[in-house]
Amino acid sequence: IWMREHAFPAPTTATWHIFSSEGAYEGALQLPARWKVHQIEAEFVVVSQASPDGTSSVVTVHRIVGR
């Protein structure tokens, strides 16, 4: 289970908290707040980011290390 922490005013990073299926806390992952998360797995995260002019998005996959 992944839960994004919300903060005001809008932060530059977003903290995602990770819980096991039994509800045990497993850790946290910080990502740039401008990234829109599409999928999170144990080994990777799939995100997109709008182009500066807002006409397109770039989708990237990032490996998670240090777990």
Side-chain angles (χ1 to χ4, degrees):
I1 300 169
W2 293 76
M3 179 186 74
R4 182 178 175 173
E5 181 179 301
H6 288 277
F8 298 97
T12 57
T13 60
T15 301
W16 289 80
H17 296 280
I18 308 153
F19 297 87
S20 72
S21 58
E22 292 80 30
Y25 186 74
E26 294 187 347
L29 178 67
Q30 288 194 341
L31 300 171
R34 67 185 181 278
W35 287 4
K36 179 179 178 183
V37 175
H38 296 276
Q39 180 180 355
I40 301 176
E41 300 293 337
E43 298 85 22
F44 65 89
V45 58
V46 179
V47 301
S48 66
Q49 180 179 338
S51 63
D53 62 5
T55 59
S56 63
S57 294
V58 176
V59 176
T60 54
V61 177
H62 299 270
R63 191 173 78 168
I64 299 173
V65 295
R67 279 196 68 186

